[in-house]
Amino acid sequence: MPDTNLADPTLLKFGIGQPVPRQEDPTLLRGQGRYTDDVALAGQAVCVMVRSPYAHGVIRHIGTEAAAAMPGVLGVFTAADMAAYGPMKSVLPLKNKDGTPLINIERGPLAADKVRFVGDPVAFVVAQTRDKAKDAAEAVEMEIDALDAVTEASAAAAPGAPQLYDHVPGNVVLDFRFGDAGKVEAAFAQAAHVTTLSIRNNRIVVCAMEPRSAVGEWDAAEGRYTLHVGSQGVFGLRNQMANDILKVPVDKVRILTGNVGGSFGMKASAYPEYACVLHAAKLLGRPVKWTDDRSGAFLSDCHGRDHETEASLALDAEGRFLAVKLVSYGNMGAYLSTVGNLMGTGNFSKNVQSNYATPLLLVETRNVVTNTTPVSAYRGAGRPEANYFMERLIETAARETGRDPVALRKLNHIRPDAFPFSAPSGSVYDSGDFSALLDHALEAADWDGFAARKAASAARGMLRGRGLGNFLECTAPPMKEQGELVFEADGTVTIVTGTLDYGQGHWTPFAQVLHQKLGVPFESIRLVQGDSDRLVAGGGTGGSKSLMASGAAILQAADIVIEKGRRAAGYVLEAAAEDIEFAAGRFAIAGTDRSIGIMDLAERLRAMGPLPQDVPNSLDARTVFDQAPMAFPNGCHVCEVEIDPETGLVRIDRYLSVNDFGVVVNPMLVEGQAHGGIVQGIGQALHERVAYTEEGQILTASYMDYGLPRADDLPSFGFESAPSPCTTNPLGAKGCGEAGCAGSLPAVMNAISDALGGQHIDMPATPERVWAALRG
């Protein structure tokens, strides 16, 4: 953690640990943000996609003649026009349990031989206006021979199921195993008690506030593409577009991302529309824009979650956990997204142990293709689900064996003196005090006062239940990250880094880190993340790692600034560089009152003429931080629900979380991130579910049919911190962006199960489902 100088009053306002409001909010609240659809370039044309109305079928013919002849139409394109472009595919080097690699699926920009889900793009139209493009898209003729469809992963893997690909026998792209099956089975065989639950991890639509949009440009003179697009990191997306899809050198592609209205994993990678607008821009010699509408987003945006899991926990006679086992089907949808294979495999394996000293684990997952929208990462990406499985198992095991669920958890918690703790997942936990945090949460939530509240509910004819979500996440996947500091001529300092803010509020905490480290005026700090031309490295934003990656890179760059500043200040102050000290934003000659501020020094260097060879001509610094190990945020959520037994309606009455996010740079933003994750977890637990017909038609294709949590569905959230600083990164921070989901899924569903007398029901716990459970 950077040195803190509390004698500096600005650190009391803008330093690490202060609740500084987000700097971008005034601009966004005034409607002055610049999202992709706000990009309006001279001569810009409009693209509209033509999508399959069938979930599965053989393409016999795509007729474009009538559409191409319509007024204002500039071009109609099919798969034949896009044949030269490379595929989108899985990038994960995962292997089957027999050691063979997964079966990859290469997806072109447009479907060529078959359509495999409702919404699969088969053509696109470019016209002078959106209305003309939409009219022409409706005139494209599709001759498709419909085939039987399959939408559930387990059904797709069953004998006799419709086959999506000739090279994917049984529709199984990956038969994954992690763990020693023999040892785990032996542990289950000798267990005094085994708890098993069949759990459905319901498919959800991401529902980002801003639909996807893209604007393609082609510079004929430079032979260079520019793509304006919402993303989670321009460096990685540029590499994917250049290397995999456009097949050009990376310096021939520029990605520009402005403000992004939410993503949650969905906008991280390339989509078919991006190659389409770039192809049309090059062919037509003018910019081309595509913007999805909400109905299109329900079909074409990658969905999240969707696993069928049998979860089992083995306990000895004293209640200690011997082993945990997950056997799952993972629904990949019709194509493999970039990281779609990860959630039910690596992330289940890393996270199901949570904060418990379980010595053995086994994860077996069959990832299966179906006639549904492809699945990719969604807030937490397998980590919330794994914690949910474990917490439901513990709660059920406690009830089955007559144990107190709190005592059972504490019996099995990893002890503070066990760190560093080597988990069977391969992770090495560095810090935490899980039982103390649990006690903190129980006291803050008035756990002991529950009986009185339950009686009060009963007096009103209501059922009441309480639930815990005692979670731990493995976050911050190691990736290199750029840290660059530029002292601008206008007196500002620009941070350049390769994470990307799509709602998190990076500008403020990054500025707090830099302000505390260098004493640079907080209000003078700017942030650049969304221009691939400015980056030499960048892992993007995902996996709750931004502060650990970019924060560490900023600190590393700041150290370079200080080293350069000592040499420069020595020259300016006429002293030896080794006699220069730096503190609180000033370079001073040791033992004297002669000093110069860092901003004044930067200005002096700009104004000076030629300098000696050993004196830097600026304080600018660029570095690449070489990946910190994972961090392990953890916490405990406590939820109380009331259920109306006449209607099955669930109302969340009380909710509190206590979290260990290590060093908290900005408590206001961290609490906001927790609130957002909690609400998305509540949405999955109570409201959200994608439903398909047997023919593969989506039934929940608009907000008329797809439920999202509303403000009046939610209580006020209690939020408290119990930090154990992380030892694996220089800030001591742990990721917070996805932890709200990891705690809320089990807390809400355990509370509902408690109100139902221990009965297990699957998410979403809709009134209909709860009402039916109450009636057996």
Side-chain angles (χ1 to χ4, degrees), residues 456-735:
S457 294
R460 293 183 288 105
M462 298 291 181
L463 304 175
R464 193 176 192 94
R466 62 182 178 180
L468 297 176
N470 197 190
F471 74 93
L472 179 143
E473 287 192 299
C474 298
T475 66
M479 301 181 78
K480 295 181 184 295
E481 190 55 72
Q482 178 172 334
E484 183 176 358
L485 303 174
V486 181
F487 289 77
E488 309 283 6
D490 63 0
T492 61
V493 179
T494 299
I495 299 171
V496 182
T497 190
T499 52
L500 197 134
D501 182 347
Y502 48 89
Q504 289 86 352
H506 288 171
W507 184 4
T508 299
F510 290 180
Q512 288 176 261
V513 170
L514 183 60
H515 171 69
Q516 179 145 330
K517 177 72 174 181
L518 290 184
V520 171
F522 179 83
E523 64 277 3
S524 299
I525 299 171
R526 304 291 179 260
L527 176 64
V528 171
Q529 298 174 298
D531 183 352
S532 63
D533 279 2
R534 300 288 299 269
L535 298 177
V536 297
T541 291
S544 297
K545 68 175 178 60
S546 293
L547 193 63
M548 282 80 78
S550 285
I554 291 166
L555 291 178
Q556 190 166 289
D559 286 335
I560 297 172
V561 170
I562 293 170
E563 188 276 329
K564 292 177 72 175
R566 284 197 174 102
R567 288 186 282 131
Y571 177 77
V572 170
L573 298 174
E574 299 179 336
E578 54 267 25
D579 292 333
I580 300 297
E581 297 176 341
F582 179 78
R586 300 192 70 81
F587 294 93
I589 302 175
T592 76
D593 60 359
R594 295 182 59 209
S595 67
I596 185 170
I598 189 170
M599 301 303 287
D600 292 335
L601 180 59
E603 185 177 2
R604 289 278 295 275
L605 291 175
R606 281 193 298 271
M608 286 180 170
L611 295 168
Q613 189 172 1
D614 62 341
V615 178
N617 58 13
S618 80
L619 298 182
D620 297 352
R622 175 192 283 177
T623 187
V624 175
F625 178 70
D626 191 22
Q627 60 194 34
M630 284 187 168
F632 305 96
N634 59 91
C636 184
H637 292 213
V638 185
C639 176
E640 291 187 19
V641 301
E642 269 195 343
I643 297 177
D644 183 341
E646 297 301 315
T647 65
L649 183 67
V650 177
R651 182 179 70 86
I652 299 177
D653 186 57
R654 294 163 66 93
Y655 201 104
L656 174 131
S657 69
V658 176
N659 302 279
D660 172 10
F661 294 139
V663 173
V664 175
V665 171
N666 187 312
M668 180 187 297
L669 270 63
V670 167
E671 183 171 356
Q673 285 291 303
H675 286 184
I678 291 168
V679 172
Q680 285 182 277
I682 290 172
Q684 183 178 359
L686 297 184
H687 304 282
E688 300 184 56
R689 172 178 170 257
V690 179
Y692 287 94
T693 67
E694 289 185 2
E695 295 76 26
Q697 296 291 332
I698 185 170
L699 292 170
T700 49
S702 77
Y703 294 130
M704 294 293 290
D705 305 297
Y706 185 88
L708 283 178
R710 300 169 180 261
D712 59 359
D713 294 322
L714 307 169
S716 294
F717 297 121
F719 176 89
E720 298 188 16
S721 290
S724 298
C726 183
T727 64
T728 62
N729 66 76
L731 278 167
K734 302 175 182 179

Side-chain angles (χ1 to χ4, degrees), residues 145-214:
D145 292 345
L147 300 172
D148 289 342
V150 61
T151 62
E152 297 288 331
S154 57
Q163 298 297 292
L164 273 71
Y165 298 91
D166 292 340
H167 75 290
V168 185
N171 296 315
V172 178
V173 295
L174 178 65
D175 189 5
F176 173 88
R177 173 184 288 164
F178 180 89
D180 189 319
K183 290 182 178 179
V184 169
E185 293 307 325
F188 272 85
Q190 69 183 27
H193 182 82
V194 172
T195 290
T196 298
L197 290 171
S198 293
I199 303 177
R200 182 59 194 261
N201 179 31
N202 41 317
R203 176 183 284 241
I204 60 91
V205 174
V206 173
C207 298
M209 187 179 295
E210 175 205 20
R212 286 190 301 114
S213 181

